[in-house]
Amino acid sequence: MRRAFRTLAIATAASTVLLIAWGGVVRATGSGDGCPDWPTCFGSWVPRVEYHTLIEYFHRLLAVVSASLSIALAVVGAWSLARAHDEEHGDARAVPRLAAWLAVGLAPLFVIQAAIGGWIIATHEDPAVVTLHFAVAFVVLGVAVAITVLAHLLEPGGIRSYARITAFTGLVTYGLLLVGTYVRAEGAGLAFRDWPLMSGRLVPDLTQPGAGPMFAHRLLAIAVTALVAWCAVRARTMRPRSSRLIGLSTLALVLVLAQIAVGALNVVTELATWARAAHVAVSALIWATIVALAVVARREPSRDDLRAEGEDERFPATADRSLGDTVRAFAALTKPRIIVLLLITTVPPMILAAGGLPGAWLVLATLVGGTLAAASANACNMYLDRDIDQVMRRTRRRPLPRHAIQPEAALRFGFALGAVAFTFLALTVNVLAATLALSAIAFYVFVYTMWLKRSTTQNIVIGGAAGAVPVLVGWAAVTGGIAWPAVMLFSIVFLWTPPHFWALAMRVRDDYAAAGVPMLPVVRGEDETRRQIFLYSLVLFGATLLLVPVASMGPVYLITAVVLGGSFVYRALHLWRDPSDARAWALFKFSVLYLGALFAAVAIDALA
């Protein structure tokens, strides 16, 4: 019986996803009136062979299929409940009681949904009724998905805080779906003909027709993206880890990002039929995935809920610490020394782009926004790396390893800083600069920290792109765009990062080995690391010289680049031929001076 119930549940959920997706096709093609009466079509049960009629009629057929499957599911669920007294001792063939009850309640929902479909025909597609139709459709899909998940998870359990955040994410996502449905029903999909701006503004004139619903839709989309990203990060860092939660949260994040791209294509293509239909289809997939995530979070077995929260009872509560200690701990989360280095690479590109000194307010706003963005990325990085930071001598005094801050508080702090950074830069500088800063946060957190750092020796090579983005932010702040000089400056920082970091990694290679991080000195050995440092120093030297023709640099920059580059190559060569920890550490310290002096030369040359 349980196997039949599972099969019916999967079929019902899948057919409901297809039903909602085809409903999007009906709306996108304007085929809602393809059959002007209900339940028949032009007074007949056999449809006319006409484009809009066939599209609408197929939607009705899918509804019949889904309803039939739900009725069969309800029958099996009711039969299981009737036999409940035979299953008191945990019969492996039994259907979980909650799943059975939900199955019994699902069939009436299909009846209600069908009645609303007839109401749409009678009201000639009134926007409010269309919205209600989709609202009930997503409830039906949510219940079908919940039944499917519950039919496969018998064990009680659940990770409380994670279950709460996934439930809240589901609630906000449902609100987004309803607002999006109303936008489509009102024909307000092109209330703004630009993206991501709204009539050239971040906050639009809400008196425009359709502006209010569309603005609400975009705000909710931002909120859902942030919440799903939060769920994905939490799932990967909980102990014990759950492969189900990781898989579902990652899928949800990928679908949300794809939906953002489809939403942009709706504007770019001016609501092309395929783009509108795809938007609805992906919405259904997102909703199904988030509902599944929330249900699994409530049912996933957890051996130790305290461990799942990322806490350790051996350490004192953070509530006992003074306000000053807490403030200093949060400040340490942001890695202030790294932020200073990032800001050094922001101002010179602004001066080069402006051909002189930019406005003081623009520079200040860009630096403040860049600081907040870098702080956000660093705080999230510390949250994700707290387990290996506790192992490494160099990092074990950071706030999270010494339990100066609760892990979730650190993650909330990082996400809040990212939101403030984007909003501040968008309002005070421009949307491109804000978007670039946000992309750097996302790349550093999701690509470098969560993926590359623990999986490949190329982690710092590829991950270095995040540290080079401030160059682009500075250039975009002045010009509102990106040009080849900015790309070359980006490349310089990108190429500088591996030899800079590998010199440090050689000094602390034992730490990385103990933590299981595949840094180049640990995996490939020190000889190969020194060779790579030397090769990268040569390429870096060449890139700094290429900036001269690309950006029309003068003698001040050229002389500085030659002297600094030659010294970098010389030091890297000596490290390769005469290895020692002292030389590696000296090269690391010189690399910091090198980058600062090179970018100072960019600024001085532009002002000369």
Side-chain angles (χ1 to χ4, degrees):
M1 179 181 293
R2 186 179 173 198
R3 179 178 296 178
F5 187 85
R6 284 177 171 180
T7 302
L8 284 170
I10 293 172
T12 303
S15 64
T16 305
V17 169
L18 183 58
L19 175 62
I20 293 175
W22 195 259
V25 175
V26 172
R27 298 292 145 220
T29 58
S31 300
D33 287 330
C35 291
D37 50 342
W38 187 90
T40 59
C41 187
F42 291 101
S44 172
W45 294 104
V46 179
R48 297 178 180 180
V49 184
E50 296 177 357
Y51 177 73
H52 293 296
T53 299
L54 291 176
I55 290 176
E56 169 63 18
Y57 198 79
F58 185 65
H59 180 60
R60 295 186 184 184
L61 283 179
L62 285 173
V64 171
V65 171
S66 296
S68 300
L69 288 169
S70 73
I71 292 171
L73 186 65
V75 169
V76 176
W79 178 257
S80 174
L81 291 171
R83 292 169 51 89
H85 65 279
D86 295 328
E87 299 165 355
E88 291 177 356
H89 300 291
D91 187 343
R93 296 170 297 174
V95 175
R97 289 181 62 83
L98 180 56
W101 277 114
L102 287 174
V104 172
L106 182 60
L109 284 176
F110 270 99
V111 175
I112 295 172
Q113 178 72 337
I116 297 174
W119 190 12
I120 290 176
I121 300 298
T123 59
H124 302 288
E125 301 191 30
D126 180 271
V129 182
V130 171
T131 303
L132 178 62
H133 189 58
F134 269 87
V136 176
F138 283 114
V139 171
V140 169
L141 176 57
V143 173
V145 170
I147 293 169
T148 303
V149 174
L150 290 170
H152 289 78
L153 295 178
L154 286 176
E155 305 92 342
I159 303 169
R160 289 191 297 271
S161 70
Y162 193 74
R164 286 194 296 269
I165 190 62
T166 55
F168 182 70
T169 301
L171 181 64
V172 178
T173 302
Y174 189 69
L176 171 64
L177 296 173
L178 294 190
V179 174
T181 299
Y182 187 77
V183 167
R184 287 192 299 273
E186 282 283 6
L190 287 179
F192 312 116
R193 293 182 177 272
D194 50 350
W195 189 93
L197 296 178
M198 291 162 280
S199 299
R201 301 167 60 181
L202 192 64
V203 179
D205 178 6
L206 298 181
T207 62
Q208 295 178 229
M214 178 54 81
F215 183 54
H217 182 61
R218 293 194 180 181
L219 287 180
L220 284 170
I222 293 172
V224 168
T225 303
L227 286 169
V228 171
W230 178 290
C231 291
V233 171
R234 282 291 314 279
R236 288 182 174 273
T237 56
M238 289 188 298
R239 298 293 183 271
R241 289 173 61 144
S242 164
S243 59
R244 291 191 184 102
L245 295 179
I246 291 173
L248 287 170
S249 61
T250 302
L251 176 60
L253 181 58
V254 170
L255 287 171
V256 167
L257 295 177
Q259 183 74 320
I260 292 172
V262 174
L265 288 172
N266 269 268
V267 176
V268 172
T269 63
E270 297 190 348
L271 300 181
T273 300
W274 66 267
R276 295 173 64 192
H279 208 47
V280 176
V282 179
S283 295
L285 293 174
I286 290 172
W287 175 241
T289 304
I290 291 177
V291 170
L293 176 65
V295 176
V296 170
R298 292 289 300 177
R299 304 288 292 184
E300 184 77 343
S302 174
R303 293 190 302 274
D304 185 344
D305 197 52
L306 183 65
R307 286 178 63 205
E309 300 287 347
E311 304 301 329
D312 193 324
E313 58 189 359
R314 296 173 299 171
F315 291 85
T318 57
D320 297 335
R321 299 180 181 275
S322 69
L323 177 61
D325 288 340
T326 301
V327 170
R328 283 189 290 272
F330 274 104
L333 277 179
T334 66
K335 302 182 184 178
R337 287 183 295 179
I338 294 178
I339 290 177
V340 171
L341 191 60
L342 292 174
L343 295 182
I344 288 174
T345 64
T346 302
V347 177
M350 297 182 71
I351 296 174
L352 182 62
L357 288 174
W361 167 247
L362 180 62
V363 173
L364 178 62
T366 305
L367 292 180
V368 170
T371 298
L372 292 171
S376 168
N378 290 333
C380 292
N381 169 266
M382 281 206 185
Y383 170 82
L384 292 165
D385 280 352
R386 65 190 186 279
D387 57 335
I388 61 176
D389 282 348
Q390 192 162 334
V391 174
M392 298 173 62
R393 288 170 298 175
R394 183 174 65 92
T395 57
R396 62 179 50 156
R397 295 304 300 163
R398 286 176 174 177
L400 292 178
R402 59 187 174 88
H403 296 259
I405 299 173
Q406 297 284 2
E408 269 224 46
L411 185 59
R412 285 194 296 268
F413 181 61
F415 268 68
L417 285 174
V420 173
F422 176 83
T423 304
F424 180 82
L425 285 171
L427 291 175
T428 61
V429 182
N430 58 56
V431 173
L432 178 59
T435 303
L436 288 168
L438 188 63
S439 71
I441 298 172
F443 192 89
Y444 187 68
V445 173
F446 292 100
V447 178
Y448 171 67
T449 306
M450 292 180 64
W451 176 29
L452 296 172
K453 184 171 184 176
R454 307 192 191 202
S455 62
T456 174
T457 58
Q458 295 300 302
N459 45 22
I460 200 64
V461 177
I462 303 171
V469 171
V471 170
L472 303 180
V473 172
W475 190 277
V478 173
T479 66
I482 300 296
W484 282 112
V487 174
M488 281 306 307
L489 287 169
F490 174 92
S491 301
I492 288 170
V493 180
F494 180 78
L495 293 169
W496 165 87
T497 303
H500 160 76
F501 195 87
W502 283 334
L504 172 64
M506 288 178 64
R507 182 179 173 88
V508 295
R509 58 190 176 278
D510 292 340
D511 272 358
Y512 283 120
V517 179
M519 287 297 174
L520 190 64
V522 176
V523 177
R524 303 285 296 277
E526 292 191 14
D527 287 343
E528 177 62 19
T529 303
R530 289 191 296 270
R531 188 178 76 88
Q532 291 286 344
I533 288 175
F534 175 67
L535 293 176
Y536 267 92
S537 69
L538 288 175
V539 178
L540 173 63
F541 191 12
T544 60
L545 297 180
L546 277 177
L547 184 65
V548 175
V550 170
S552 301
M553 303 303 296
V556 173
Y557 171 81
L558 178 59
I559 294 172
T560 304
V562 170
V563 173
L564 288 175
S567 180
F568 201 122
V569 170
Y570 176 79
R571 290 167 182 267
L573 180 61
H574 262 253
L575 176 62
W576 187 17
R577 291 182 172 178
D578 184 19
S580 69
D581 284 350
R583 285 192 183 277
W585 182 241
L587 179 61
F588 170 76
K589 292 191 291 185
F590 174 77
S591 67
V592 176
L593 174 65
Y594 168 89
L595 190 68
L598 185 73
F599 271 74
V602 171
I604 295 171
D605 194 277
L607 293 172

